[in-house]
Amino acid sequence: EAAIKLYREKLAKESEGAIAQLLTEQAQAYSELGQHQVAVERAELAIRLAQKHQDRSTEAAAQGALGSAYWALGNYDAALKANQQSLTLACQLNSQPYIASSLNNLGNIFASRAERFRYQATAANLEGDTPEFTRLGRLADRDLRIAIAAYRQSAEMGQAVQGAIATKAQLNLNRLSQG
């Protein structure tokens, strides 16, 4: 907060790029603290500033932070949109760490949405709604396959940069494979 205030007061326009980076880091921190709505607000502001200054690297990171916050809130559609945008930017930048991270995040979202579909399918089955049970089961299976593919791609990409993201992706992949 203090760094952002200082940049805003003293350096005005020249510092907006740095403010976007700080807001992205702040969004990630707020998400880690469980304050996901605040994280969404900070990430959205960071995205606007990064776009204004055509800073695609910061925008990619901010989109990832936005997606993670939406994921934690259970808003999977918004989370997918933000993380897909992050992945698109990461690919344009040819940034292997950002690509690996975006793929891992997408895997997390699809895995969570698959769990939600499974839960809803179970409820539909208990209510005797066989068509809905079948539809939701198919959606869960599809999202699970997408999650596994995203984790595999993330692990492969992460191995190339030998980062912690490869380990996270592999752990996520193993968790899904055992389930």
Side-chain angles (χ1 to χ4, degrees):
E1 293 286 346
I4 291 170
K5 184 178 178 185
L6 178 68
Y7 275 114
R8 282 190 174 143
E9 289 174 355
K10 304 289 185 211
L11 302 173
K13 288 238 184 238
E14 309 84 52
S15 66
E16 284 184 342
I19 291 173
Q21 292 173 350
L22 290 169
L23 285 166
T24 300
E25 292 172 15
Q26 205 175 49
Q28 292 165 339
Y30 275 114
S31 234
E32 291 292 323
L33 293 170
Q35 296 182 21
H36 306 296
Q37 193 56 50
V38 176
V40 165
E41 294 164 8
R42 300 296 159 87
E44 287 174 340
L45 181 54
I47 290 165
R48 286 193 300 274
L49 287 173
Q51 288 172 339
K52 179 179 176 182
H53 291 277
Q54 299 178 353
D55 182 352
R56 293 185 325 183
S57 180
T58 299
E59 184 184 353
Q63 290 282 3
L66 180 63
S68 293
Y70 276 133
W71 172 53
L73 290 168
N75 187 342
Y76 300 138
D77 291 338
L80 285 171
K81 181 179 176 185
N83 275 297
Q84 287 167 337
Q85 183 62 29
S86 178
L87 179 60
T88 298
L89 290 164
C91 288
Q92 290 171 356
L93 295 167
N94 197 26
S95 172
Q96 291 183 345
Y98 279 5
I99 294 169
S101 181
S102 294
L103 287 166
N104 187 65
N105 291 343
L106 285 167
N108 289 338
I109 298 162
F110 279 108
S112 293
R113 197 168 74 170
E115 286 178 33
R116 180 182 285 171
F117 285 142
R118 286 266 181 249
Y119 176 80
Q120 291 170 333
T122 300
N125 191 40
L126 291 173
E127 293 174 2
D129 190 345
T130 304
E132 188 66 359
F133 169 75
T134 302
R135 184 184 77 79
L136 290 166
R138 285 186 183 131
L139 291 172
D141 291 343
R142 180 205 62 201
D143 277 6
L144 191 58
R145 285 191 304 275
I146 294 170
I148 290 170
Y151 286 144
R152 282 189 178 134
Q153 288 178 314
S154 177
E156 289 169 11
M157 183 67 65
Q159 300 243 335
V161 293
Q162 298 182 351
I165 207 67
T167 304
K168 286 181 185 178
Q170 193 61 51
L171 289 171
N172 287 329
L173 180 59
N174 290 343
R175 178 180 49 83
L176 282 184
S177 297
Q178 293 175 355

